Amino acid sequence: MKNTQLLTSLRYVLLGALTVTTSVVQAESIAITNATVYTVAKKGVLSQATVLVDEGKITAVYNKDEVPELLSADTIIDAKGRILTPGFIATDNLLGLVEVGAVSNTRDSSDKKADITFDASLAFNPKSTLIAYARKGGITSSVVMPYGGEKVFTGQSFIVNLSGNFDSVITSQNAVIASLGATEKGSRATKLQTLNNELEDAQKALAKAEKAKLNSKKDKEEKEVESPSRSEQVMYELLSGDKPLIAYADRATDILALLKLKKKYNLNLVLAGASDAILVSDEIAKANVVVMMSAINNLPSSFDSLHNSLANAAKLTNAGVKVIISNSGESYNINQLRFDAGIAVANGVAETTALAAITANVADSFNLNSGRIAVGKNADLVLWSSDPFEISTKVDAMWINGKAMTLKSRQDALRERYTAETDMPRAYTK
């Protein structure tokens, strides 16, 4: 009898524990109502719209005439007409790899020995203080692009969300980075020649491996085929189009050479920098190549970038080129991406086009399930106090994978610390 009572008690305890565990695991469902939603999708801009989120995904997007009378959600947020956008996606930066540029032991973005296999995501620090600071600019994810070594291929980029969690690396080694153009020593021709030769050699090796595999099947014998090296495997992924090639090049002649290589090897090419792109914009558009560029470079930084201008983003988009607006290389200015997009708008880029340049265009280029407010997409969302491209606007709320994010950064904590009321001198405030 006592044993039966004990077993019954244990059963109820276990059932209670399971109930608690289930409630913790299940993600909160959210309804954001009465919002001005910039979907960056087929639905365009919706007023007084409602977006439903469940299990970290967007499950419904209703315009004002479609909203059901009864909304079933754990949390209902009245946006009061404020703007809701997809979370912005930063590119061409070192977020999580460099904390203080002037302090060498906080820099993990490059290595002299780095080559095409260099995977800097292994050094990514999700607890970097710069991540919370970037969130204040509406950034929910980032394509981190290390400098790598001194060869043509400098390594591979990786993608992270800005949740600050240890599992925030979405995709490691997602694209190969190549650096072309002028060099302090030697000729730019060497890099272009090396790039072509390595692609050609990889193509021949791949064809040879396929032939050996075919012959093995014909002979009805399973002959051992030599496995490709790590470098060769990456090259094969480039040739198959599974991995994009992000190529830094500014001068028009270098860009044209890359377009020829794209055609010859059927590469999934993304041009980075591309100061002279406006000189060959028609060729870039015909090749269906994306240009990743800064919208605020208006002065030459070298003889390769004599055509830098604030109007370049507008000229490229008007020519039919898909543009990604990026910051330039460092970690601490990522939260200003929205200002860069705003400057592009001030210089002729349509507002919705500029928004796509920091959301959907990035997602499309790097195969991310975000960048749009549409059913099935990750619930990476930002609710703004006003126009996100205006300097006085602030982020009122942010969700990454449907989870609300804190908007407090180290800078906020320092401000609170040194402006707090105290009898002690201000510098001694604790």
Side-chain angles (χ1 to χ4, degrees), residues 108-111 114-120 146-149 154-156 173:
D108 293 306
S109 58
S110 64
D111 194 290
D115 59 13
I116 196 171
T117 64
F118 180 50
D119 180 12
Y147 292 150
T154 59
Q156 298 186 53
Q173 304 179 70

Side-chain angles (χ1 to χ4, degrees), residues 346-369:
N347 285 275
V349 176
E351 188 176 38
T352 52
T353 303
L355 182 58
I358 53 177
T359 55
N361 291 358
V362 189
D364 292 345
S365 299
F366 299 105
N367 197 30
L368 286 169
N369 189 40

Side-chain angles (χ1 to χ4, degrees), residues 269-275 277 284 289-293 316 321-325:
L269 177 64
V270 176
L271 293 170
S275 299
I284 296 171
V289 169
V290 177
V291 172
M292 181 187 295
M293 61 174 294
L316 288 174
V321 177
K322 184 180 284 188
V323 168
I324 292 172
I325 294 175

Side-chain angles (χ1 to χ4, degrees), residues 88-249:
F88 296 164
I89 308 172
T91 53
D92 197 4
N93 61 75
L94 305 174
L95 185 65
L97 295 181
V98 176
E99 192 71 16
V100 181
V103 180
S104 60
N105 61 7
T106 71
R107 300 194 302 260
D108 293 306
S109 58
S110 64
D111 194 290
K112 287 183 178 180
K113 296 179 181 179
D115 59 13
I116 196 171
T117 64
F118 180 50
D119 180 12
S121 70
L122 297 170
F124 176 70
N125 177 20
K127 301 301 180 182
S128 166
T129 60
L130 299 177
I131 288 176
Y133 187 52
R135 286 200 297 259
K136 295 176 76 68
I139 312 294
T140 57
S141 52
S142 177
V143 181
V144 185
M145 295 164 55
Y147 292 150
E150 300 172 343
K151 300 178 181 179
V152 174
F153 293 115
T154 59
Q156 298 186 53
S157 60
F158 61 97
I159 303 173
V160 300
N161 67 46
L162 270 59
S163 63
N165 298 331
F166 287 114
D167 61 352
S168 55
V169 175
I170 301 170
T171 310
S172 61
Q173 304 179 70
N174 74 293
V176 175
I177 304 170
S179 178
L180 302 169
T183 58
E184 292 183 4
K185 295 180 180 180
S187 169
R188 76 179 67 230
T190 302
K191 286 190 173 183
L192 284 168
Q193 187 175 16
T194 300
L195 178 58
N196 177 71
N197 291 347
E198 293 202 19
L199 288 167
E200 185 177 336
D201 291 345
Q203 190 178 63
K204 289 178 180 178
L206 184 58
K208 185 177 179 181
E210 289 294 329
K211 186 177 180 180
K213 189 175 180 181
L214 186 62
N215 289 338
S216 176
K217 288 182 179 180
K218 284 181 179 180
D219 296 339
K220 296 182 180 180
E221 287 183 29
E222 285 297 329
K223 295 180 181 178
E224 187 176 346
V225 179
E226 187 177 347
S227 299
S229 66
R230 290 185 179 89
S231 297
E232 287 173 333
Q233 183 59 45
V234 176
M235 294 298 294
Y236 296 165
E237 290 171 329
L238 276 181
L239 291 170
S240 67
D242 291 338
K243 278 190 178 178
L245 173 64
I246 305 173
Y248 284 95

